[in-house]
Amino acid sequence: MITIRKAADRGGADYGWLQTAYTFSFNTYHDPEHMGFRVLRVINEDVIQGGGGFGEHGHRDMEIVTYVLSGALGHRDSMGHASELRAGEFQRMTAGKGVRHSEMNASADEPVHLYQIWLLPDRRGLEPGYEQKAFPEADRRGAWQLVASPDGLDGSLRIHQDASIYLANLDADAALSRPLDDGRHAWLQVLKGSVEIDGQTLDAGDGASVSRQSSLDLRAVQPAEVMLFDLA
């Protein structure tokens, strides 16, 4: 079963300095039909204008993965990390028993476009942790590139949950499949371009949940970048 979540149906807001879209209920947007999918709790697409950002704030008991599509994001946290997350880079932060951080556009003039993902951890009270990494774009051309996994397989970021995150970049008309083991589920998020699955076209910002299927088969309608979550 494949269920489409169109970009236009997401929640969100325009604060001037921030344009944000919420795939699942978040902040002041509440929809009991869209509270998350499996352990996937948040998929937020943010565009932060130059000089803007989120001042210091706290998180607890969440695995937070951030992917920058364009621009650069400044990060500081109570673990002592001060870094700049550039286009194409990933960050994993385990909030665990408590962490504070800030996220600011690293530029005074250019916007930063990013996705932030929250997953429920496999247990509460973990020690806070942090990773940041860029993955070679060539390794996801027409293929699934593992960027996060429970055991850090193949140099991927380690997340404390039975979930894996993949990226793929596809040329127009390219096809790609992903087998799903029995009892597994998937969420596909289109980051750029458009793809076709199950006879339906998904554009940038669209997503789809996949359950009770042996595979997910997609074809790029236009050059596309997609993110896939393999979930218990």
Side-chain angles (χ1 to χ4, degrees):
M1 181 176 69
I2 297 177
T3 303
I4 307 299
R5 176 74 160 144
K6 298 297 289 184
D9 297 331
R10 297 178 294 180
D14 186 343
Y15 297 102
W17 64 272
L18 169 69
Q19 292 76 47
T20 184
Y22 309 137
T23 294
F24 305 122
S25 294
F26 187 83
N27 197 11
T28 59
Y29 168 65
H30 179 76
D31 181 348
E33 298 298 317
H34 296 95
M35 297 300 297
F37 180 70
R38 313 299 295 181
V39 297
L40 189 54
R41 178 60 189 86
V42 166
I43 301 177
N44 289 353
E45 181 180 7
D46 292 340
V47 177
I48 304 171
Q49 299 303 317
F54 303 95
E56 186 177 292
H57 58 282
H59 295 286
R60 183 180 295 273
D61 291 320
M62 200 66 69
E63 296 291 285
I64 301 172
V65 177
T66 303
Y67 177 47
V68 174
L69 277 70
S70 63
L73 184 71
H75 168 92
R76 290 182 178 273
D77 63 45
S78 55
M79 295 176 283
H81 301 105
S83 62
E84 195 168 287
L85 194 66
R86 297 183 178 276
E89 290 189 318
F90 275 85
Q91 175 196 92
R92 184 272 301 172
M93 189 173 71
T94 294
K97 59 187 179 182
V99 67
R100 296 187 66 79
H101 76 145
S102 63
E103 300 162 293
M104 305 297 293
N105 190 333
S107 169
D109 306 308
E110 299 297 324
V112 55
H113 183 192
L114 62 95
Y115 268 82
Q116 188 165 99
I117 295 117
W118 295 9
L119 301 102
L120 300 172
D122 56 14
R123 60 193 183 278
R124 299 175 66 86
L126 290 164
E127 285 296 322
Y130 180 90
E131 288 182 277
Q132 181 175 329
K133 187 170 183 179
F135 296 87
E137 184 177 356
D139 292 350
R140 58 180 177 267
R141 282 281 167 196
W144 296 113
Q145 179 185 56
L146 183 64
V147 297
S149 67
D151 51 8
L153 185 66
D154 297 332
S156 60
L157 302 176
R158 186 184 176 210
I159 50 177
H160 298 85
Q161 182 52 266
D162 183 7
S164 297
I165 305 175
Y166 297 85
L167 277 187
N169 287 9
L170 300 173
D171 294 330
D173 292 323
L176 188 62
S177 295
R178 178 71 192 172
L180 295 175
D181 293 338
D182 287 347
R184 302 295 294 185
H185 306 260
W187 182 278
L188 181 75
Q189 188 70 27
V190 182
L191 307 182
K192 300 176 183 178
S194 61
V195 301
E196 183 181 85
I197 63 169
D198 198 35
Q200 301 185 70
T201 298
L202 275 66
D203 300 313
D206 294 347
S209 63
V210 184
S211 296
R212 298 190 296 277
Q213 294 210 172
S214 60
S215 68
L216 173 65
D217 306 308
L218 60 148
R219 181 187 66 85
V221 178
Q222 301 172 352
E225 181 172 19
V226 297
M227 181 179 286
L228 178 72
F229 302 84
D230 185 314
L231 307 163

